[in-house]
């Protein structure tokens, strides 16, 4: 089992790992059922036995994991039959979720990759900013990097302050990554703070295809 993935259906959150394991305890609660009741069924025992034979697994318990704080987790090949036992439509939904996870196509995985991309891009941006400041005979300090991050945040959402990037939508993360690349290019091109501010705002307008709210604040030029 790898990283935790949370996916919502009808206002209820369900948990998967990014390699397709499924939190059966959490999923069963809205249906007033329990994983142990499904596992005790003769049909389930026969299915697990046949599955182990096909997968070359000698120990059936390796397909089931008990976690102290979250309950019973099922192997991807058990998750769908269990979900179908809970509810047919829920079973189809789980089947699609796990298929996307195993193929690396789940929207949450795309967002994770994009979040990693923004972190990497900003790291490169700070390196270019530090080099630029040093070439100007200035010492790079923490507030220089904070101000640049806030400038990008302002271009994104109109607020010159810190930003919880993990809470951003996929679309906002995509725009954020684009803004970071633009700012890196602008810094490397020796653009002033005011020039960068104008260019980043224009970039946002072009991407969003609508005017960005004009906001006035004190200049924080390095």
């Amino acid at each position: 089992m790898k990283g935790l993935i949370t996916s919502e259906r009808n206002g209820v959150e369900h948990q998967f790992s990014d390699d397709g394991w499924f939190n059966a305890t959490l999923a069963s609660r809205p249906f007033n059922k329990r994983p142990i009741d499904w596992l005790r069924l003769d049909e389930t025992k026969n299915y697990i036995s046949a599955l182990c034979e096909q997968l070359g697994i000698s120990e059936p318990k390796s397909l089931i994991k008990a976690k102290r704080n979250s309950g019973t987790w099922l192997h991807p090949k058990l998750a769908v039959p269990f979900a179908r036992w809970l509810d047919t439509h829920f079973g189809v939904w789980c089947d699609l979720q796990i298929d996307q996870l195993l193929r690396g196509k789940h929207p949450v995985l795309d967002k994770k990759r994009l979040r990693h991309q923004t972190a990497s891009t900003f790291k490169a941006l700070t390196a270019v900013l530090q080099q630029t400041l040093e070439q100007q005979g200035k010492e790079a300090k923490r507030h220089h990097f904070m101000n640049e991050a806030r400038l990008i945040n302002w271009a994104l959402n109109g607020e010159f302050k810190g930003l919880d990037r993990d809470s951003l939508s996929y679309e906002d993360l995509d725009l954020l990554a684009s803004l970071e690349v633009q700012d890196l290019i602008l810094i490397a091109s020796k653009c002033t703070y005011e020039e960068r501010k104008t260019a980043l705002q224009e970039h946002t307008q072009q991407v969003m295809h609508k005017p960005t709210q004009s906001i006035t604040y004190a200049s924080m030029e390095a």
Side-chain angles (χ1 to χ4, degrees):
M1 287 173 53
K2 297 182 180 179
L4 181 67
I5 299 292
T6 299
S7 196
E8 185 176 304
R9 177 180 182 269
N10 296 337
V12 178
E13 289 189 345
H14 298 279
Q15 293 179 344
F16 301 83
S17 67
D18 57 16
D19 54 354
W21 284 71
F22 173 65
N23 187 334
T25 299
L26 184 64
S28 62
R29 287 172 184 164
F31 301 98
N32 295 316
K33 295 182 178 181
R34 303 182 304 166
I36 188 63
D37 296 326
W38 180 74
L39 291 168
R40 286 172 175 167
L41 296 175
D42 288 339
E43 182 180 355
T44 301
K45 293 177 182 178
N46 291 335
Y47 185 86
I48 292 176
S49 177
L51 181 61
C52 287
E53 181 180 343
Q54 290 295 317
L55 297 179
I57 296 174
S58 59
E59 182 51 67
K61 290 183 179 179
S62 65
L63 300 174
I64 306 163
K65 296 185 183 295
K67 301 184 71 174
R68 180 177 299 178
N69 296 323
S70 59
T72 301
W73 287 72
L74 298 177
H75 185 279
K77 295 298 184 183
L78 290 183
V80 174
F82 172 75
R84 192 183 302 121
W85 175 73
L86 294 177
D87 177 82
T88 301
H89 290 89
F90 181 63
V92 172
W93 179 80
C94 283
D95 194 0
L96 295 174
Q97 296 293 309
I98 291 171
D99 179 66
Q100 288 179 321
L101 287 169
L102 296 179
R103 291 189 296 111
K105 300 295 185 181
H106 197 281
V108 173
L109 296 180
D110 289 340
K111 188 174 179 180
K112 277 189 171 184
R113 284 190 285 265
L114 193 52
R115 178 67 181 91
H116 178 73
Q117 178 184 334
T118 60
S120 300
T121 306
F122 189 74
K123 185 176 181 180
L125 186 155
T126 58
V128 172
L129 178 59
Q130 179 174 351
Q131 183 181 51
T132 300
L133 290 169
E134 290 173 351
Q135 290 173 348
Q136 296 172 354
K138 299 179 181 179
E139 180 184 356
K141 295 185 177 181
R142 185 169 179 265
H143 74 269
H144 291 125
F145 306 118
M146 290 180 62
N147 291 342
E148 206 63 34
R150 288 171 179 169
L151 173 62
I152 294 170
N153 296 344
W154 169 81
L156 175 70
N157 65 8
E159 295 184 297
F160 190 75
K161 63 181 184 180
L163 183 68
D164 180 7
R165 298 187 174 200
D166 290 329
S167 68
L168 294 177
S169 67
Y170 181 89
E171 291 75 16
D172 283 346
L173 274 175
D174 192 36
L175 176 55
L176 179 65
S178 179
L179 285 166
E180 288 178 345
V181 170
Q182 291 298 314
D183 196 35
L184 187 156
I185 294 171
L186 293 166
I187 293 171
S189 300
K190 313 300 183 185
C191 293
T192 66
Y193 183 89
E194 291 300 324
E195 289 171 338
R196 299 199 301 277
K197 183 174 72 171
T198 299
L200 291 175
Q201 187 177 45
E202 290 176 351
H203 180 73
T204 299
Q205 292 174 353
Q206 292 171 0
V207 172
M208 301 297 291
H209 299 292
K210 64 181 180 181
T212 301
Q213 182 180 359
S214 179
I215 296 176
T216 304
Y217 56 88
S219 175
M220 300 287 288
E221 184 169 359

